[in-house]
Structure formats: structure tokens, C-alpha cells
Amino acid sequence: MEFTWRGSTERELSAQGHRLEVIEYSAEPMEAALVGYHQTLSRPDRWRQLAVHVSPGSGVGNAVLEPGALQYLRGNLDMQAVNAGGGSGLGGFLRGAVTAAATGEGLYKTAFKGSGVLYTEPTRLHLLLGELHGEGLIVDDGAFVACVGDLTVGRHVNQGFAQMAGSGEGRVQPKLTGRGLFALQSPVPPEEFQVLELQGDTLKVDGNLVVAYTDGLEFRVERSARGLLGSGKTGEGFVQAFRGTGRVWLAPTLPLHQG
């Protein structure tokens, strides 16, 4: 059976005149079912696309996408790749704003300035939308898709994983700082995420279930007593510990989506 793809807005989030919109494409049969016959229908998985609506009305008309994420754009938007030194080929309108994440995702981010709409390549992953109010957000490798507003994309050297590995080299992750909207990708639907608000609290997690956390939290990888927390999926006898005040995006159902 042949299908046609129909798109509809799954969710959206607005701030500072900017807007992030998740467009979901579902497969619809091109032929009507036969009357009087039971017909088992197996639909293809749904796809999702992010639309980044950039507006200079607030005086901040900047957007950043992960390299390779852009499918097409519409409007008056200038584009450039910005490297770790902040250099640019379009007059330096975001010089110093974006630095390399150095995570294997590439040494460059793609920056835009102006007004218009950016559309990303469709993906079967789910898109998680959020807003920052002046704090920093440390993001798991491969999760960053886009941000818009008065936000910078830099790098955070996470020494917690160096402690676990017994090496002097930390794990480098993307870090978003400032005010604006962001989009992350995950195999877990947004409805299954828990956004935990810690107030001078401690959170310990067995396994790589955290997709992002605010930089006001202290992060460490700690050894746990054998058998106290699951099977030590973070590493033999290790757990991830978050302490202080801030927010954590936790996906407890991630193992179910990984089969």
C-alpha cells in the first residue's frame, strides 16, 4: 500500500519574539479501505522536523544549528560557519558567540542572523523544546539540534567522566549560555522526560539517562556500593551524582526505547 505524508504542528514554544515549532509527519494511506473486509494496516514510523522562527524584533535575531541539520530556509537570513576561535566569513556578526563543542559532532556550528524560518532535516527522533533564563545548560553528546535568541554555544569540559576512567582528560560537551530557546533530540518522547528541580538536593542516576542539566549543579561520577543502585550501567560500580540547585532533564524510559 502506498502512503502520503501529512504534516501537522506537534508542539511549539515562543520567547523574545522567536518560536520553535515541531512538525510531525504521519503516513496516511492513499487508497481507501475495502468495504466489508478487515485490512491490517502497518504504518511507517513518524518523522519530525524542527522549524526555527527567527525574529529581530527583540534586537536579538541569532540562531545556531548543528552542522548538517539545515534542510532549507526562508527569509532574510545570513549564514556562516563559526569555528572554535570565533572567526567568521560574514563580518563577524557572531564572533566569539559559538565555539567548537569538540565532541565528534564537528568543529563548527552553523550560525544565522536576520529574520526568517529555518527548517531542519526530518528525523525519527523526538524533539525536546526548552527555554533558558540566563543560566547555562550542559548537553549530552549528540543531543543538540538548534537554539535561538541571546544564546551562545560553547564547550564544557566535564571532569566527572575523567574521574571514572582514571584519566586526566575530561569529556567535552556542548554548553548553551544566556536567554532563549533550545531544541534537543532524543529517542524518548518529551512526555516521558522528567524535568527535576533540585533545591540544594542530591540526585544519583545509574545509567546515561540525563540528556541535559543546568550548570549551577555540581556533577561527579561516584563509586557506589555493589548492588545498591541497579547494575552500575554507568560503569562497574559507578553512578552519576548531581548536587546543588538547578534543573535536570531525565529520561527514565530510555532503556525501553533502546530495546
Side-chain angles (χ1 to χ4, degrees), residues 212-248:
Y213 63 94
T214 52
D215 63 354
L217 293 167
E218 175 194 2
F219 171 80
R220 295 179 64 87
V221 177
E222 300 178 352
R223 187 178 297 277
S224 65
R226 184 179 299 275
L228 288 185
L229 284 177
S231 58
K233 301 180 214 44
T234 306
E236 186 177 354
F238 290 95
V239 295
Q240 297 182 23
F242 303 84
R243 292 183 173 86
T245 298
R247 289 177 289 168
V248 177

Side-chain angles (χ1 to χ4, degrees), residues 129-146:
L129 307 183
E131 182 178 0
L132 290 179
H133 304 278
E135 68 268 58
L137 185 73
I138 299 165
V139 180
D140 194 28
D141 296 344
F144 175 75
V145 178

Side-chain angles (χ1 to χ4, degrees), residues 116-185:
V117 188
L118 307 162
Y119 294 88
T120 64
E121 290 282 355
T123 177
R124 284 198 168 99
L125 295 174
H126 295 275
L127 295 169
L128 176 68
L129 307 183
E131 182 178 0
L132 290 179
H133 304 278
E135 68 268 58
L137 185 73
I138 299 165
V139 180
D140 194 28
D141 296 344
F144 175 75
V145 178
C147 64
V148 61
D150 189 13
L151 284 169
T152 63
V153 182
R155 47 178 279 167
H156 171 75
V157 180
N158 202 325
Q159 295 295 342
F161 291 94
Q163 299 164 9
M164 181 181 71
S167 69
E169 296 184 0
R171 174 185 176 189
V172 183
Q173 297 173 266
K175 180 179 178 179
L176 313 182
T177 307
R179 297 180 180 273
L181 305 174
F182 64 86
L184 309 179
Q185 62 183 6

Side-chain angles (χ1 to χ4, degrees), residues 39-220:
Q39 195 170 10
T40 302
L41 182 62
S42 178
R43 297 175 187 264
D45 292 338
R46 297 181 179 184
W47 292 78
R48 294 162 193 89
Q49 183 177 43
L50 180 70
V52 182
H53 299 259
V54 187
S55 170
S58 63
V60 182
N62 297 335
V64 179
L65 265 62
E66 183 63 20
L70 179 68
Q71 187 184 62
Y72 69 99
L73 64 83
R74 180 176 181 178
N76 184 25
L77 287 162
D78 292 326
M79 176 174 61
Q80 68 177 149
V82 185
N83 62 26
S88 71
L90 293 175
F93 67 78
L94 282 180
R95 181 167 289 123
V98 183
T99 58
T103 61
E105 299 175 352
L107 294 178
Y108 295 88
K109 301 295 181 189
T110 309
F112 303 83
K113 183 179 180 180
S115 62
V117 188
L118 307 162
Y119 294 88
T120 64
E121 290 282 355
T123 177
R124 284 198 168 99
L125 295 174
H126 295 275
L127 295 169
L128 176 68
L129 307 183
E131 182 178 0
L132 290 179
H133 304 278
E135 68 268 58
L137 185 73
I138 299 165
V139 180
D140 194 28
D141 296 344
F144 175 75
V145 178
C147 64
V148 61
D150 189 13
L151 284 169
T152 63
V153 182
R155 47 178 279 167
H156 171 75
V157 180
N158 202 325
Q159 295 295 342
F161 291 94
Q163 299 164 9
M164 181 181 71
S167 69
E169 296 184 0
R171 174 185 176 189
V172 183
Q173 297 173 266
K175 180 179 178 179
L176 313 182
T177 307
R179 297 180 180 273
L181 305 174
F182 64 86
L184 309 179
Q185 62 183 6
S186 170
V188 178
E191 296 81 6
E192 297 178 16
F193 269 90
Q194 296 180 13
V195 183
L196 305 179
E197 298 275 354
L198 302 185
Q199 297 290 335
D201 202 355
T202 297
L203 172 69
K204 293 188 178 182
V205 181
D206 181 29
N208 191 25
L209 306 180
V210 174
V211 70
Y213 63 94
T214 52
D215 63 354
L217 293 167
E218 175 194 2
F219 171 80
R220 295 179 64 87

